[in-house]
Amino acid sequence: MAAQQTPVGNQDLRPDLGTGVCSVPRLLGRNRGVTRNHSRRHGLVRVQFRSPTPDNARSRRMTAAAPHISVLGREAVEMLDPRDGGIYIDATFGAGGYSRLILDMPGTRVIGIDRDRSAITGGFDLVDRADGRLTLVEDRFSNLAEVCAAQGVEVIDGVVMDIGVSSMQLDQAARGFSFRLAGPLDMRMGHAGPTAADVIATASERDLADIIYLFGEERHSRGVARAIVAARKEAPITRTQALADIVARVVRSKPNEIHPATRTFQALRIFVNEELDELHRALTAAERVLKPGGRLVVVSFHSLEDRIVKNFLAERGKVSSGSRHLPEVAQMAPSFKILTKRPLTPSEDEIAANPRARSAKLRAAERTEALAHAEGAPPSWPTLERVMRGG
C-alpha cells in the first residue's frame, strides 16, 4: 500500500539538509527536503536532515536534551531490564520517555510505535541522537507483531506500554480530548476514522447509553444519552464545551468532586480510539513476539485498562496441577511468569509533581518457554464499526 502523505504545516522537518539520513517509517512531507518513497504497510520512508558529528552524537545521553519522564518511567524500565544487544518495543511512544531510558543502556535497539503522527515527528530529535538504534513507526500498537516482521525482527526482548491518552494530547485544545479547553469534538489519537462528534451525531440513544456506561462507568448514562439525543435534534454537537454543558445539566457534582463530564468524555475517547480492543490485541501480540525471558511491562491509568491487563496476566500465568475431572495434561502451560504480585504505583513525590500520575498502575511479567495461548473471544461491548453503520 502506498504510504500516505503528511501535511507539513508549521512542523520543523529540518529543511536545511546535511548528509545524515534517519529511517522514519511511513512519514512523508510535501517538500522542504523530505524524500518520498512508495512502500507497503510499515515500510520505510527516508527523511533527511543535518546530522551531528559522530563524536557528538555518541557522547550524548538520550535524556540530556529531553527531560520528559513517563509516569513510573524508571520503574517500568527497571522491570523491563534492558540489556546490551536487546531489541525492545516502546508500543506507545508518545514523548519518548521510555525509549530514552531504554536507549541509555548501550547497545539496545528500540522500535517505537505511535498512531499519532505528531508524536512521530516529535521523535525526530531522539532518532538523531540514537545513532541508528531507534526506529519510529506510525501505527496502532495492536499491530506490533506485524511492525516487528516488517523490520525483519522475529523475536524481541521486551515490550513496554503506557495505555491511554497522553498529557500532550490532553493539553492541545484542537485535539478535543478535554472539556477544560474549547475545541472541536475530535478525540482521535490518530488522524483517521470517525470523530467523537461523528459518534454523537450517529449513535442511537441505546448505544450512547451503553458506551457511556461501559467505557465511562457513568451511572447516569441513560440520562446523559437522552439529553444528547434531544440536544442534537436542535443543533449538531461539535464542540467540547457544548457536550460538557449538556452532561452537566444531567450529572450533578459536589464541590471537590470530578467534573460532571469526566466520565462521558473518557467513554467517548476510549470508544473512538477502540482503546480496550487495541489493548486486548496488543497483549496477545506481545505474547507472540517476546522471546523466553523477555519482559512485558504495562502502565495503565484507570480500572478498565488495569482489569484487562490483570486478567490477561492471571490467565497466562496460571499454574494448574489438574484434577480428577480435568487431568493436568489438558492444561495450557503458563506463558508468563508474573513479576508484580501487586501493581506498582507512583510515589507521593511523583504524584505531587504530576497529579495525573495518581491513578497509574504498573504490572509486569516475564515470558516463559511455553507456547502462546489461543486468543480469546472478543468482548461483547459496542464496536465503532457497528455503531457508525447504524447496525
Side-chain angles (χ1 to χ4, degrees), residues 144-163:
L144 64 88
E146 290 86 347
V147 169
C148 285
Q151 302 299 323
V153 176
E154 294 183 1
V155 292
I156 56 173
D157 297 272
V159 177
V160 61
M161 306 177 185
D162 181 336
I163 310 304

Side-chain angles (χ1 to χ4, degrees), residues 315 318 320-334 373:
E315 177 65 28
K318 186 185 301 181
S320 176
S321 59
S323 70
R324 292 180 302 168
H325 308 290
L326 190 60
E328 184 175 1
V329 69
Q331 306 299 310
M332 285 289 293
H373 290 212

Side-chain angles (χ1 to χ4, degrees), residues 301-380:
F301 289 85
H302 62 70
S303 60
L304 294 174
E305 299 164 344
D306 182 60
R307 194 177 306 140
I308 289 171
V309 179
K310 178 182 178 181
N311 292 342
F312 174 85
L313 293 180
E315 177 65 28
R316 264 57 174 187
K318 186 185 301 181
V319 178
S320 176
S321 59
S323 70
R324 292 180 302 168
H325 308 290
L326 190 60
E328 184 175 1
V329 69
Q331 306 299 310
M332 285 289 293
S335 57
F336 280 100
K337 174 186 174 183
I338 298 175
L339 303 176
T340 49
K341 292 183 178 180
R342 293 184 179 180
L344 301 183
T345 56
S347 66
E348 292 183 4
D349 289 343
E350 182 170 8
I351 294 172
N354 178 13
R356 288 174 178 166
R358 64 186 179 275
S359 60
K361 292 183 178 180
L362 183 155
R363 297 185 186 272
E366 183 175 288
R367 189 71 169 85
T368 69
E369 295 184 356
L371 295 175
H373 290 212
E375 187 172 353
S380 59

Side-chain angles (χ1 to χ4, degrees), residues 62-76:
M62 294 302 104
T63 53
H68 172 81
I69 300 296
S70 300
V71 174
L72 289 169
R74 298 198 180 277
E75 293 87 343

